[in-house]
Structures are given as C-alpha cells and as structure tokens.
Amino acid sequence: MLATGTLTLLQDAGRPGLAHLGVTGSGAADQGSYRAANRLVGNAAGEAVLESVLGGIVLRARGALLVAVTGATGSVVVERSGGRAAVEHPVGCSFTLGDGDVVRVGPPTQGLRTTLAVRGGFAVPPTLGSRSSDVLSGLGPAPLRAGDVLPVGDVAGEWPEATLLPGAIGRRWGRMLAVTPGPRADLVGAAGLPRLLATEWTVSAASNRVGVRLVGPQSAPGSGGHALTLPSEGMIVGAVQLPPSGEPVVFLRDHPVTGGYPVIAVLTPEAVDVAAQLRPGDAVGFEAVHG
Amino acid sequence: MTGAPRASASPLGLQLRPVGASALLAEVPDARSALALYSRLRAQPSAPPSLDGVIDAVPAERTVLVTFDPGRTDAARVRRWLLEAADAAAAAGPAAAGWAAQGSAVAGPTDGPHRVDIRVTYDGPDLDDVARTLGLTVGDLIALHTGTRWTAAFIGFAPGFAYLTGDDAGRLTLPRRSTPRSSVPAGSVALAAGYCGVYPRESPGGWHLIGRTEATLWDAGRPAPALLAPGTAVRFVDTG
C-alpha cells in the first residue's frame, strides 16, 4: 500500500446476526459495487475488498494479481514495471497486474466510495467472522496506512465468468432515495414523512459510514423540529431517523444497533447503495415506494 | 403488508410494525414483556433465533427488532412466529421472563451458561455518594446490590455492554451523573437510570461507579464474545 487517500478500509459482507450483542452489521457501504468487484475477479461471495473515500488508493503488486475496481467513477491507471507505457482502465472491469506494477485509483468524478477487489481476497485475520472495519465500535482491521502489506488469499475457485459489468460502468448516480414508511412515521405526523418527501435535502460534511446526515434548505433552528424521543429500540441499515433538530440521518452499515429517535422511513436495499455514494454537498430527495 | 400496527387483544400487548421489507419491530408495554418475548425466540441466550431465515432478534427497552432474509423466509411467517412466542410468554406468566427463570425449577444459582456470578470489589469512586443519595449505608448498598437478582435485558452503548434489570432495582435507581467521565476503566460496575452495567472496555461514561471486576465482559476472540448476552441471569458477589 503506497497511499490510502482520505480513508481506505477493508470491508466485506459484514457481521450479520450479532446486533443483540451490540455489534452492528458493518460491511461494504455499497454492497452492489462490492458484489460486482468480487464477481469480476472470480471471488467467492464474502471476500474482503478495499473501500476508499474519494479515491487515492495506490497499490504495488507483489507477484501477478487479478484486480477489479467498482463503485465511484474515476480514473484507474496501471503504471507498469519495466518501463512499459501506463494503461488506463474503466471502473467496472477486471485487469491484471504484474509483479511491481502500480495501480492508482484517482479521485472520482461521480460517487464517493471506490471498491477494489483482488482475486483471492485480502486475507487479513477476521474479527467475529468478518474482515470489515466498523468505524463506530472499532471492531475489525484498523484503517490502512501507507506502507501496509496486504496478504492475498489462495484461490481454488472458478475463473470469473465476466471481465466487464456494464451495469457497474453505466450506473445511474441517484439523487432520489426510495423509501417505505418507517415504524414511527405515525408518531411524528407532518413534520416527519411528509416533510421528508417534500424537501430537497443537502448532504452534510459530517456524514460517514455510520450515516448520511442531511440539512434542509432553511436550516433555521427548530424548523421541522420535534421533542419526541423513544425508549431505545433496534435500528437497521437504511433507517431514516429524525432527531429533534428536524435534520434526518440515513443510517449506513456502521449504524448504532439501537437508537431513541423516531424512524420515519426506511430505504430500500438498492437505495442504501445509492445513499452510500452521496458526497457532501449533493442534493438529494426521497420518494415513497410500496413495500 | 400494511404500515398499521397490529392492535387489539394480541397476547402480551404485542404490536408489530414493519421496518422496510426485511425487519419487524415487535413493541410491548414494558421491559419485562420485551425480555419475556425475546427469551421465546432463542433456545438459549447464545443460540441463533429459532426460525429459519431470521438473521437476528434484538431486544431493547420495550421492543424486540427481528431482522430476516426475505429470500429465505417472509414477513407473514415471521409475524406468526412472533405471535406464537408472545402467546407462550403470556401463558407462562410474568415470572417466567428469561431463560434462567424458565429453568429455575431445576437449575441451581450458577448452573448453565445463562447464569453468571460476577465477583466485585466495591471500591468505586462514586460508592459513598451513591449510598448517600439513596439514603443507605455503604454496607446496605452492597447488600442490596449483591442480593438483587439481575438479568441482562438488552445491550446498548458498546459491544457487550448489558443493561441489567433487577427485581429490587427500584431502590437502586438514580439518574446519570450530571458530568460524564471522559474515561471509565474496563470492568467498572456502575448504576444509572434503574439499570446496572459493567463497562466492557475503557470508554467515556456517565454512570455512577460503585466497584470493579476482573471478569472479561467482552472478548471478540471467544465463541461467546459477550459474557452477558441478553437473558443472562447475573449475581454480584462481594470479594471484600
């Protein structure tokens, strides 16, 4: 690992089934891009990948590797050893690296998070069955640093059946998040779900893998606010929580397992992936769909 | 599936609310009912939920959140499973909340994985203040704490941090500290808001510290990482 950019983490399918012990699901923020990247290198489901925020990954290969980059759209350049010309690849395809080749993932032009998979997976030791970094509790591998050497697992599986996934390349970058009514929509009334659907929100810079924080057009203190808190109750990825400030939080994969603010809406699984690619400053809206 | 909660004469006062297409929130009137319902969903605290396709059952103060894989089961089946569990819990009566209570006729006080004794040195920095606030002597406070039958009701705040409810916890109820500490050592035994808790690792904290234990509350490397999974019966033992 020669450089990590703003933040590069190891992620996989996460830690399902441990929320009753206080451990959140975690896992790759954009699961669609995660699955596509593993598929492109012929990995079994569940192998660990790199997930970077705003690009910036620079890796040098030790030995020959098969690699794929998915997620946020940006430049992927391979600087080849032995004085050969550099090669640029699109996001959404697989490519090979020779010993000593360097791959650079540039800052994305669209989207926030880039996924980089290697055939065999990044074989760091798992914690509670997963190699995901959970930024809320600190479980799993530490954020990567320049100079880290990442082990690659042995592969016994099939070769990939596709080298290019048009869906991963031609992805539509959403500005609308599909939701169903949340379990506490009825408690908040007009300040809750109707206001959520009617407002154009802006993504706050305070967003991370825990959640996407949103601010309204007129962030006058108290506008759309309420005084409702509940006894803490279980939360899921995609839950849209409405704190008393009236500024909603969309929970991503490292969300707290319980929370005490009303959940007024819940994103569809596809919308969770869209939300994971929103950048600070993006405008975003919500549309109701049938559960 | 509709968004309307299930009302009327459901056992245990159960209301079910959809949370997206892959989760149901089961709401009951109080903490005891939540634990009674939860303890019907697993064979024991460390066992997986008893219905195929259910990923997790997460108890909290007045709810149990059930998440499931819609490819392996469906909401109607999960609803039936929850209603049957509520029926069984209601039929067993309020005294039978938790696995230890269900098995109490045969199990001794420390038998089985769902009963835990925790040895405590009662020398916490807030011990005197807590006794004074509650109008107790320090000796009475320790006797009350060790004499209470505690049960891990749910986890919050951090992995393995169990909120323990007690049959006599009413006399040990006090609000959180007005100023939280920036660092509380791992193993600190603490009281707040009608609950007892043991800090699984060093962290900030606003509870009143009455003692400390050497017990390892959380270890991600062992098969049952949380010593106090929800439903576990707990007794505190004074090492002094």
Side-chain angles (χ1 to χ4, degrees):
Chain A
M1 189 106 225
L2 302 182
T4 62
T6 311
L7 178 67
T8 298
L9 301 171
L10 284 153
Q11 294 295 339
D12 61 12
R15 298 184 181 85
L18 297 171
H20 66 290
L21 302 181
V23 176
T24 200
S26 197
D30 173 354
Q31 287 280 317
S33 293
Y34 164 72
R35 287 191 296 268
N38 269 335
R39 182 180 162 196
L40 282 165
V41 294
N43 280 345
E47 293 290 0
V49 302
L50 299 184
E51 176 182 291
S52 85
V53 172
L54 293 172
I57 295 175
V58 185
L59 281 172
R60 181 161 56 221
R62 291 190 178 176
L65 296 173
L66 182 66
V67 173
V69 176
T70 61
T73 307
S75 81
V76 181
V77 174
V78 175
E79 296 167 359
R80 295 188 294 172
S81 59
R84 293 171 300 159
V87 181
E88 182 157 3
H89 297 284
V91 166
C93 74
S94 63
F95 53 92
T96 56
L97 296 178
D99 185 39
D101 287 358
V102 171
V103 58
R104 285 179 185 273
V105 178
T109 52
Q110 292 191 95
L112 179 70
R113 294 185 166 92
T114 307
T115 303
L116 186 150
V118 60
R119 181 164 169 80
F122 292 104
V124 300
T127 303
L128 294 170
S130 165
R131 298 180 170 92
S132 289
S133 293
D134 170 357
V135 303
L136 189 64
S137 74
L139 285 172
L144 294 172
R145 296 183 309 178
D148 285 348
V149 176
L150 294 168
V152 174
D154 296 328
V155 201
E158 304 273 310
W159 283 97
E161 94 291 2
T163 57
L164 181 147
L165 294 176
I169 295 174
R171 165 175 192 155
R172 280 178 57 247
W173 297 97
R175 291 292 180 267
M176 287 300 274
L177 303 175
V179 294
T180 55
R184 302 301 182 182
D186 54 336
L187 291 185
V188 196
L193 188 58
R195 180 168 165 270
L196 182 80
L197 298 173
T199 304
E200 184 176 78
W201 302 95
T202 303
V203 175
S204 155
S207 304
N208 59 15
R209 285 178 46 86
V210 173
V212 177
R213 293 176 182 277
L214 301 174
V215 291
Q218 71 284 26
S219 42
S223 72
H226 64 88
L228 191 68
T229 58
L230 295 161
S232 283
E233 59 191 30
M235 292 287 139
I236 66 166
V237 65
V240 182
Q241 236 195 14
L242 191 68
S245 68
E247 296 185 334
V249 179
V250 178
F251 278 149
L252 296 184
R253 303 274 164 193
D254 290 353
H255 64 88
V257 295
T258 57
Y261 299 131
V263 172
I264 56 171
V266 179
L267 269 61
T268 62
E270 297 75 21
V272 171
D273 287 357
V274 174
Q277 294 291 1
L278 293 170
R279 301 159 73 135
D282 278 352
V284 64
F286 293 85
E287 60 184 342
V289 297
H290 290 289
Chain B
M1 187 189 341
T2 77
R6 194 181 191 104
S8 74
S10 300
L12 223 62
L14 179 71
Q15 293 199 337
L16 295 177
R17 299 168 185 268
V19 187
S22 62
L24 282 172
L25 186 68
E27 187 175 21
V28 288
D30 53 41
R32 186 179 284 274
S33 304
L35 184 60
L37 173 64
Y38 177 72
S39 61
R40 299 279 161 183
L41 303 180
R42 302 176 192 267
Q44 52 171 306
S46 59
S50 60
L51 181 68
D52 253 8
V54 170
I55 295 167
D56 212 342
V58 186
E61 283 182 73
R62 274 185 235 157
T63 53
V64 179
L65 175 73
V66 172
T67 54
F68 57 93
D69 178 351
R72 290 168 56 208
T73 186
D74 57 59
R77 208 170 299 171
V78 176
R79 279 175 180 269
R80 272 200 305 280
W81 178 64
L82 281 164
L83 288 168
E84 285 166 17
D87 272 334
W99 289 266
Q102 290 170 30
S104 61
V106 289
T110 58
D111 288 350
H114 36 268
R115 287 175 181 272
V116 171
D117 280 1
I118 294 181
R119 293 167 56 78
V120 180
T121 305
Y122 286 93
D123 62 356
D126 300 330
L127 185 67
D128 293 340
D129 281 350
V130 169
R132 198 175 312 119
T133 305
L134 296 175
L136 300 168
T137 65
V138 166
D140 289 344
L141 170 59
I142 294 171
L144 198 52
H145 193 250
T146 54
T148 298
R149 292 179 300 165
W150 299 93
T151 305
F154 55 91
I155 307 263
F157 178 59
F161 188 103
Y163 283 65
L164 306 177
T165 54
D167 52 1
D168 213 3
R171 293 171 64 193
L172 292 172
T173 298
L174 67 173
R176 288 176 171 79
R177 284 168 54 84
S178 49
T179 312
R181 289 184 169 87
S182 57
S183 173
V184 172
S188 295
V189 178
L191 295 172
Y195 295 102
C196 178
V198 187
Y199 283 79
R201 59 179 180 185
E202 192 200 312
S203 62
W207 292 29
H208 304 269
L209 311 184
I210 60 169
R212 62 195 156 86
T213 178
E214 304 286 316
T216 302
L217 273 292
W218 176 258
D219 180 353
R222 67 188 177 196
L227 181 65
L228 307 181
T232 306
V234 182
R235 197 177 63 164
F236 292 100
V237 179
D238 185 4
T239 60

